[in-house]
Amino acid sequence: MMSTSRGRRLAATAVAIGSIAILAGCGTSGGGSAAPSEQADELGELEGSVSILAWPGYVEDGSNDPAVDWVTGFEEETGCEVVSKTYGTSDEAVSLMKTGDYDVIAASGDATLRLIAAGDVAPVNTDLIPSYAGVYDFLKEKEWNSVDGQSYGVPHGYGANLLLYNTDVVTPAPTSWDVVFDGASDYSGSITAYDSPIYIADAAVYLMAHQPDLGIENPYALDEDQFAAAVDLLKAQRPHVGEYWSDYLKEIQAFETGDSVAGTTWQVIQNVLAGGGATTEVVLPEEGATGWSDTWMIASEAKSPNCAYAWLDWIASPEVNAQATAYFGEAPSSQAACDYRDDCEAYHAGDEEYASKIWYWTTPIADCVDGRTDVECVDYAAWTQAWAEIKG
């Protein structure tokens, strides 16, 4: 985030980014080769185009804001013309990847393991991506972007789901998630929460600290009893929630009007509020927090695998990664990217101690991601069903 113009910029990206120039008649070289495997020593001829599926704001070509463009340089350097499509939720992204229409996807941790398990994305040979070497080590080979030590992509940026509060109303300044859970009745009707099944993990983070007897070691690895406790906590919170949000603009508005006074948020939202003079602050509570570390992945049946590898290297390069993550409002994936940003400190970029307090979104699966083998964990389908019940 380089300035408080973030609100204006993302308002523009709320309009779905249409297709960028397509190179007519382009196909894969050599009659269509398979995606390079993790054993590949080198890449082949660039195919001339690449199709990318991503969050709004991740693939900018200057059409939303002439000053925001990291696509044109890629096209000029590689000859790979970019076609992009945006999605609004991780569920939508997983569904779209099944069409086989995309070479590359930027996926959050609540989608990555689903994509891997379905065989929709391929293992990635990071030796073919020079920029990967500079990526923070604490983002590499994690449970949301690798399996058994095999990488399935390149980290993009990361951030924490923080506690946002109105300093005029919520006193004293909170240091715990208690204000939105066990203490939510003090601000009944003015609590806000992120609208997604993955929010169940936020309740699990709180329970890890406040009900240790449950034995939760990872908020994305919940057995039946642990899951039931998290769901019960959210059902108890429900009467005090004024609004569940997924559109960051709506949360900004709710805090500006005073309709919301405490709830989960992103650093960029606080930046926009502060820029507008709002009486709000954010804190990473003592229990820790959930968060995200998005991953650029390559489709297992990519039609342009070589251009796909070229994109992964480009988007992870310091200057480009700085532009893209600043525009979206998150920490970059490398320290070198901070040479091109003036706000890395605000996002705690490279702060390993801070990052260690974040439980990055990870797809809940039956095989417990905390390593337990004596129980079966509740999978994402059950999380989705429970979320519908929680909201009523």
Side-chain angles (χ1 to χ4, degrees):
M1 175 66 192
M2 290 189 174
S3 74
T4 55
S5 62
R6 165 71 172 166
R8 174 180 59 79
R9 290 176 175 178
L10 276 192
T13 61
V15 178
I17 302 171
S19 294
I20 305 172
I22 303 174
L23 184 59
C26 281
T28 54
S29 61
S33 58
S37 71
E38 63 273 29
Q39 287 82 30
D41 293 325
E42 60 183 13
L43 297 176
E45 181 182 350
L46 296 172
E47 300 87 359
S49 67
V50 63
S51 179
I52 301 174
L53 182 64
W55 290 107
Y58 269 26
V59 185
E60 289 293 310
D61 69 337
S63 58
N64 288 309
D65 183 337
V68 181
D69 180 4
W70 49 88
V71 167
T72 300
F74 171 75
E75 293 176 326
E76 291 175 348
E77 182 168 308
T78 66
C80 300
E81 294 202 45
V82 173
V83 182
S84 70
K85 179 179 176 60
T86 60
Y87 61 85
T89 67
S90 288
D91 289 348
E92 181 185 357
V94 170
S95 178
L96 286 169
M97 279 300 287
K98 295 186 182 302
T99 66
D101 293 338
Y102 307 98
D103 300 307
V104 174
I105 180 173
S108 291
D110 56 337
T112 51
L113 293 187
R114 284 187 280 168
L115 293 168
I116 293 170
D120 293 330
V121 292
V124 168
N125 181 356
T126 57
D127 289 341
L128 300 178
I129 305 170
S131 297
Y132 185 80
V135 172
Y136 292 126
D137 287 341
F138 60 80
L139 297 178
K140 295 178 177 178
E141 296 184 13
K142 299 301 179 181
E143 58 267 27
W144 62 87
N145 60 26
S146 65
V147 175
D148 295 332
Q150 170 62 60
S151 174
Y152 276 81
V154 175
H156 177 69
Y158 68 98
N161 295 313
L162 302 169
L163 172 59
L164 176 65
Y165 63 97
N166 185 316
T167 57
D168 288 342
V169 179
V170 182
T171 58
T175 59
S176 166
W177 286 111
D178 177 79
V179 70
V180 301
F181 288 123
D182 290 331
S185 60
D186 292 343
Y187 307 99
S188 189
S190 298
I191 298 297
T192 186
Y194 188 58
D195 190 1
S196 170
I198 208 67
Y199 184 66
I200 294 171
D202 291 58
V205 168
Y206 181 74
L207 292 173
M208 287 171 68
H210 294 271
Q211 293 188 32
D213 290 349
L214 287 169
I216 299 174
E217 297 292 338
N218 183 310
Y220 306 103
L222 305 178
D223 61 35
E224 291 288 351
D225 291 340
Q226 295 166 341
F227 184 72
V231 169
D232 286 346
L233 180 61
L234 293 175
K235 287 181 176 178
Q237 180 198 52
R238 178 66 184 94
H240 309 299
V241 174
E243 182 179 34
Y244 291 98
W245 70 275
S246 57
D247 182 338
Y248 87 106
L249 292 173
K250 289 185 177 179
E251 185 178 42
I252 289 171
Q253 183 179 31
F255 273 86
E256 287 176 335
T257 61
D259 290 340
S260 294
V261 300
T264 185
T265 196
W266 303 328
Q267 179 67 51
V268 65
I269 292 174
Q270 166 59 14
N271 292 353
V272 174
L273 286 165
T279 56
T280 57
E281 289 288 351
V282 292
V283 64
L284 178 64
E286 59 195 19
E287 298 93 349
T290 61
W292 72 92
S293 172
D294 292 347
T295 304
W296 288 100
M297 312 178 86
I298 297 177
S300 55
E301 300 297 330
K303 298 178 180 64
S304 299
N306 299 298
C307 281
Y309 265 86
W311 175 263
L312 264 61
D313 186 50
W314 175 263
I315 200 67
S317 62
E319 186 171 3
V320 176
N321 188 256
Q323 293 177 51
T325 55
Y327 184 69
F328 192 79
E330 58 191 337
S333 64
S334 70
Q335 193 60 41
C338 288
D339 292 341
Y340 301 93
R341 288 179 60 170
D342 58 9
D343 61 348
C344 274
E345 185 175 352
Y347 286 93
H348 302 273
D351 185 340
E352 227 172 312
E353 181 181 356
Y354 183 90
S356 70
K357 300 175 183 177
I358 303 172
W359 292 95
Y360 299 98
W361 283 342
T362 304
T363 308
I365 57 177
D367 292 335
C368 302
V369 295
D370 62 359
R372 286 182 293 169
T373 58
D374 58 334
V375 297
E376 189 172 277
C377 282
V378 180
D379 65 16
Y380 189 74
W383 283 50
T384 300
Q385 181 179 350
W387 185 243
E389 295 172 358
I390 289 164
K391 292 180 62 180

